[in-house]
């Protein structure tokens, strides 16, 4: 059954209206009619709903709340140094399916791609759309937040707000006698919010690694093979899912 997100809507009387692209999708693509049912996610709660009227929008009535266990038990934010091409779109889509809570893109020292003001706004809007569609497809009850583009300094400052910060950086992990990723995961059972930091294609610089280390981050290698920048976050999320779900 098709799922639609209606975030931050008031539904005291159980009556809601779906508008915009979602309404067009229901009426024109799915060709649903009055009396048919759909899944409505309202402020993180999943409901079975019935279509009561189709006009400029699709009017629905919430029937009952459904049990939902689709969210990871940990709040995982993926911080990605800006990669080339459409790699960030791929990361957003697949990481949403794997349970990511938020995406935080940042301008890394070795990022070749640069986003100016106007480009950044359009890119973020595009990623938000991808995250919404992926959350619907994977039957999530939350759409991952897509943060605005951060500088590396802003990323380092934001890292202080998480219970644990883990950086995928093989060289630093070797130098500091870092733990295997599996061992780090075993230490996170009492942590609720986790920030996973990944570099762009050129990796994290020594200066960036030193700043993150000073902020208390843990460093790890993700197995014996070198992973592409778009593969590493998906590997990490899969391992987290296996450990905690």
């Amino acid at each position: 059954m098709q799922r639609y997100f209606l975030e931050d809507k008031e539904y005291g009387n159980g009556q809601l209206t779906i508008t915009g692209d979602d309404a067009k999708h229901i009426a024109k693509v799915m060709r649903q009619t009055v009396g048919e049912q759909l899944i409505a996610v309202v402020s993180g709660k999943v409901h079975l709903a019935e279509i009561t009227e189709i006009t400029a929008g699709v009017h629905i009535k919430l029937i009952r709340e459904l049990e939902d266990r689709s969210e990871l038990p940990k709040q995982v934010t993926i911080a990605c140094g800006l990669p080339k091409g459409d790699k960030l779109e791929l990361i957003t889509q697949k990481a949403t399916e794997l349970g990511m809570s938020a995406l935080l893109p940042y301008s890394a020292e070795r990022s070749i791609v640069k986003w100016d003001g106007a480009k950044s706004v359009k890119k973020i809007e595009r990623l938000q759309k991808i995250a919404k569609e992926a959350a619907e497809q994977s039957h999530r009850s939350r759409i991952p937040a897509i943060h605005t583009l951060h500088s590396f300094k802003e990323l380092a400052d934001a890292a202080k707000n998480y219970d644990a910060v883990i950086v995928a950086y093989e060289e630093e992990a070797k130098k500091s006698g870092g733990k295997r990723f599996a061992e780090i995961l075993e230490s996170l059972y009492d942590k609720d919010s986790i920030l996973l930091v990944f570099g762009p294609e050129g990796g994290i610089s020594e200066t960036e690694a030193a700043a993150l280390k000073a902020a208390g981050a843990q460093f790890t290698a993700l197995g014996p093979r070198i992973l592409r920048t778009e593969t590493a976050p998906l590997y990490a999320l899969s391992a987290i899912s296996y450990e905690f779900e």
Side-chain angles (χ1 to χ4, degrees), residues 11-227:
Y11 58 104
N13 61 359
Q15 305 284 341
L16 288 166
T17 302
I18 300 174
T19 58
D21 290 341
D22 285 342
K24 292 177 183 177
H25 186 267
I26 293 169
K28 304 297 184 182
V29 179
M30 300 303 294
R31 296 187 180 277
Q32 288 190 281
T33 58
V34 172
E36 292 190 309
Q37 296 179 339
L38 53 80
I39 301 295
V41 184
V42 188
S43 300
K45 294 183 179 180
V46 181
H47 299 265
L48 179 66
E50 180 179 310
I51 298 172
T52 58
E53 184 181 4
I54 298 178
T55 54
V58 176
H59 303 273
I60 62 172
K61 178 180 180 180
L62 303 183
I63 298 173
R64 67 175 183 275
E65 186 174 340
L66 303 176
E67 183 179 4
D68 181 78
R69 296 180 180 176
S70 63
E71 297 301 311
L72 271 178
K74 303 294 180 182
Q75 300 293 309
V76 182
T77 296
I78 302 294
C80 289
L82 288 183
K84 295 183 291 184
D86 60 358
K87 293 177 182 178
L88 199 56
E89 294 185 4
L90 174 67
I91 292 170
T92 300
Q93 182 188 64
K94 301 309 178 187
T96 296
E97 293 176 19
L98 290 167
M100 171 184 74
S101 297
L103 178 76
L104 193 160
Y106 70 95
S107 294
E109 185 176 324
R110 294 174 179 169
S111 287
I112 296 174
V113 173
K114 305 297 179 185
W115 289 2
D116 58 24
K119 185 176 183 179
S120 179
V121 171
K122 290 182 179 179
K123 288 285 188 179
I124 295 299
E125 289 177 349
R126 171 67 178 157
L127 295 178
Q128 288 171 336
K129 184 176 187 294
I130 290 171
K132 177 180 179 295
E133 291 174 350
E136 290 171 345
Q137 184 278 326
S138 56
H139 286 200
R140 296 271 309 263
S141 60
R142 293 284 180 185
I143 301 172
I146 307 297
H147 293 291
T148 56
L149 179 65
H150 282 47
S151 65
F152 178 78
K153 183 180 184 304
E154 289 171 332
L155 168 66
D157 289 341
K160 302 171 186 176
N161 300 322
Y162 294 86
D163 295 333
V165 180
I166 303 167
V167 183
Y169 184 55
E170 185 178 12
E171 294 307 313
E172 182 61 30
K174 288 178 180 177
K175 287 193 296 184
S176 61
K179 297 179 180 178
R180 294 186 304 118
F181 191 49
E183 294 176 300
I184 290 178
L185 294 183
E186 290 173 358
S187 71
L188 298 179
Y189 274 84
D190 62 340
K191 311 297 183 184
D192 292 323
S193 60
I194 302 166
L195 177 66
L196 300 179
V197 182
F198 302 90
E201 290 85 355
I204 293 171
S205 71
E206 292 184 2
T207 301
E208 291 168 335
L212 290 167
K213 187 175 182 180
Q218 300 182 71
F219 290 79
T220 188
L222 299 178
R225 291 164 295 280
I226 302 301
L227 303 179

